[in-house]
């Protein structure tokens, strides 16, 4: 009986097992679902949601955004961490957004600035009130009111479940699906895929297109194309 040798590069069984790695199952998120979750979310999560929808940023980059470093001359400026780790500082994605051109992004930054004054001048755009049980400071926090990525995901799930829109769904959308929604909306507006790819800091256009796989398709009206059939 043939036995697979996991250390042999000639084993077709081992090779096939790698190719058959299942894709991640993610639920789709449309704009109506986004705003339904937004209405049930707390303010830190709302701020993070608006930033993600406008910029396609991941939660890890969002919680690192600082008012004193990333907001300059009416712009939000960011170096995306994943591209920095993959390509190095010179080739990383260094992006900026004019706040006056993006009202939801400006709203998020303004909310973050208001909360900063309330929470001991926390420099992070996304901040929250620290409760007594959280007094013991995490080594990952630079400020007591800073939010960790897991906090955003957890609060997003709570808000999503309150909507009951995905009740009984085995694969409801996570916070990451906001990124896919943003990419889909940009492509549907006719934005060139190369520009969207640059915004999302993807290494190839196929990755950008894959983010739209779970979204509802666009149906093209075929009015006027009538097949005449005589009997």
């Amino acid at each position: 009986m043939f036995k697979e040798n996991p250390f042999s590069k000639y084993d077709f069984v081992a090779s096939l097992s790698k190719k058959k790695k299942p894709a991640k199952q993610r639920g789709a998120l449309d704009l109506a679902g986004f705003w339904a979750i937004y209405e049930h979310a707390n303010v830190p999560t709302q701020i993070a949601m608006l930033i993600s929808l406008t910029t396609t940023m991941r939660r890890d980059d969002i919680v690192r955004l600082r008012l004193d470093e990333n907001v300059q001359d009416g712009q939000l400026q960011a170096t995306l961490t994943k591209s920095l780790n993959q390509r190095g500082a010179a080739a990383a994605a260094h992006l900026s957004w004019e706040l006056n051109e993006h009202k939801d992004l400006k709203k998020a930054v303004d909310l973050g600035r208001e909360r900063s004054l309330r929470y001991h001048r926390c420099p992070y755009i996304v901040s929250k009130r620290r409760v007594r049980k959280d007094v013991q400071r995490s080594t990952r926090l630079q400020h007591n009111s800073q939010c960790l990525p897991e906090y955003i995901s957890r609060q997003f799930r709570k808000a999503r479940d309150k909507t009951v829109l995905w009740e009984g769904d085995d694969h409801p959308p996570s916070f990451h699906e906001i990124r896919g929604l943003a990419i889909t909306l940009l492509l549907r507006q006719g934005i060139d895929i190369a520009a969207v790819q640059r915004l999302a800091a993807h290494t190839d256009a196929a990755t950008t297109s894959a983010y739209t796989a779970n979204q509802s398709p666009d149906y093209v009206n075929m009015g006027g194309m009538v097949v005449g059939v005589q009997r």
Side-chain angles (χ1 to χ4, degrees):
M1 179 179 178
F2 175 79
K3 292 185 179 180
E4 176 186 340
N5 176 4
F7 302 103
S8 172
K9 64 180 180 181
Y10 300 106
D11 260 345
F12 69 91
V13 177
S15 299
L16 286 175
S17 66
K18 290 181 181 178
K19 293 179 182 178
K20 289 181 179 179
K21 183 179 179 181
K24 289 183 180 179
Q25 301 246 352
R26 290 171 173 154
L29 181 66
D30 57 17
L31 265 181
F34 174 92
W35 290 117
I37 296 171
Y38 181 90
E39 290 300 320
H40 287 84
N42 64 6
V43 178
T45 309
Q46 288 181 337
I47 292 174
M49 289 176 68
L50 291 177
I51 294 174
S52 184
L53 185 65
T54 307
T55 68
T56 78
M57 267 194 246
R58 298 174 175 86
R59 57 172 199 167
D60 298 61
D61 284 317
I62 292 171
V63 297
R64 290 190 183 99
L65 293 173
R66 293 174 61 109
L67 293 162
D68 56 345
E69 294 178 0
N70 298 100
V71 182
Q72 301 288 336
D73 302 321
Q75 295 182 338
L76 177 69
Q77 302 172 349
T79 298
L80 303 187
T81 305
K82 190 171 183 178
S83 70
L84 181 65
N85 294 337
Q86 291 176 340
R87 308 172 196 172
H94 306 286
L95 308 175
S96 67
W97 295 263
E98 294 286 344
L99 294 178
N100 286 334
E101 293 179 7
H102 302 278
K103 64 176 184 178
D104 287 330
L105 187 57
K106 186 177 186 303
K107 178 180 178 179
V109 172
D110 288 345
L111 274 172
R113 189 173 283 114
E114 289 175 15
R115 293 173 67 81
S116 171
L117 297 174
R118 194 182 311 166
Y119 300 132
H120 311 288
R121 295 194 177 276
C122 178
Y124 293 91
I125 294 177
V126 183
S127 63
K128 69 183 184 71
R129 179 174 63 87
R130 303 295 290 173
V131 294
R132 292 299 304 173
K133 65 180 180 180
D134 291 331
V135 167
Q136 186 175 0
R137 189 167 168 176
S138 167
T139 55
R140 297 166 62 195
L141 294 177
Q142 301 300 313
H143 189 281
N144 281 337
S145 292
Q146 181 185 359
C147 293
L148 293 174
E150 308 90 82
Y151 173 83
I152 298 300
S153 291
R154 186 167 61 251
Q155 293 300 320
F156 180 88
R157 289 194 299 269
K158 287 181 179 180
R160 178 200 66 202
D161 293 345
K162 286 179 182 177
T163 70
V164 303
L165 292 175
W166 292 272
E167 192 170 15
D169 192 332
D170 291 334
H171 304 290
S174 67
F175 185 87
H176 191 78
E177 272 57 72
I178 300 176
R179 180 172 160 85
L181 172 61
I183 291 171
T184 300
L185 293 174
L186 289 169
L187 292 176
R188 286 180 178 176
Q189 289 174 30
I191 305 298
D192 183 69
I193 193 169
V196 180
Q197 177 188 339
R198 185 167 60 253
L199 173 66
H202 288 151
T203 53
D204 56 70
T207 304
T208 306
S209 299
Y211 268 77
T212 68
N214 287 334
Q215 301 295 329
S216 299
D218 287 327
Y219 290 91
V220 180
N221 190 312
M222 306 306 291
M225 297 181 65
V226 180
V227 177
V229 179
Q230 294 182 350
R231 298 185 65 178

